[in-house]
C-alpha cells in the first residue's frame, strides 16, 4: 500500500523529494496539493470515498469500488494523513476528479486504463 511507501521507511525519500510531474495545462490543481511527491498510477485496495477535499469531513462525491484505477496528479498532507488528488481512469466514474485517502490505495493500475 502507498502508506508504507510514504513513511520514513526505505523508498520514502524518492517519492517525497522527486520533482512533481507537471499536470496538463488545462487542469488546475487544488491549493491543498502541498507536497512535492510525484504523480502516480494507483488503484483502490478497498472501497473508498472520492472526496471534495483532503479530509474525512469533506463531502463525499461517490464511493469508488475496490480495484478502481486512478491517476494521482498531486498529493496533500493534512495533519498525519496523506491524500491523493487525481482523476479516475476506470469504471463508471471515469473522468471524475477528487481526493482519496492513501490508506485505501495501492500502486499500479488493475485495468487497462489508457
Amino acid at each position: 500500500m502507498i502508506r508504507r511507501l510514504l513513511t520514513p521507511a526505505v523508498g520514502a525519500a524518492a517519492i517525497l523529494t522527486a520533482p512533481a510531474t507537471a499536470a496538463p495545462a488545462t487542469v488546475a490543481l487544488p491549493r491543498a496539493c502541498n507536497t512535492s511527491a510525484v504523480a502516480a498510477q494507483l488503484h483502490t485496495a478497498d472501497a473508498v470515498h472520492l472526496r471534495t477535499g483532503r479530509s474525512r469531513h469533506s463531502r463525499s462525491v461517490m464511493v469508488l469500488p475496490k480495484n478502481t484505477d486512478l491517476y494521482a496528479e498531486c498529493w496533500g498532507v493534512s495533519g498525519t494523513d496523506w491524500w491523493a488528488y487525481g482523476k479516475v481512469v476506470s469504471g463508471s466514474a471515469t473522468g471524475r476528479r477528487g481526493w482519496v485517502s492513501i490508506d485505501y490505495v495501492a500502486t499500479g493500475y488493475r485495468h487497462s486504463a489508457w
Side-chain angles (χ1 to χ4, degrees):
M1 293 211 142
I2 297 292
R3 169 71 76 194
R4 291 190 181 123
L5 294 176
L6 295 176
T7 58
V10 175
I15 291 175
L16 296 177
T17 59
T21 302
T26 58
V27 176
L29 297 177
R31 287 186 198 176
C33 294
N34 63 356
T35 73
S36 61
V38 297
Q41 297 173 345
L42 306 172
H43 69 274
T44 57
D46 203 351
V48 62
H49 289 272
L50 182 68
R51 297 188 180 273
T52 58
R54 58 185 178 125
S55 163
R56 296 189 195 314
H57 302 291
S58 295
R59 184 175 63 85
S60 175
V61 176
M62 66 184 312
V63 176
L64 300 175
K66 181 178 181 178
N67 292 328
T68 300
D69 296 326
L70 61 131
Y71 182 73
E73 298 166 323
C74 70
W75 304 85
V77 178
S78 178
T80 59
D81 296 326
W82 280 82
W83 294 81
Y85 176 83
K87 180 178 181 180
V88 178
V89 294
S90 75
S92 62
T94 298
R96 295 199 107 167
R97 283 191 162 79
W99 291 92
V100 294
S101 169
I102 66 160
D103 290 337
Y104 300 96
V105 297
T107 57
Y109 285 155
R110 299 292 287 186
H111 304 95
S112 176
W114 302 97

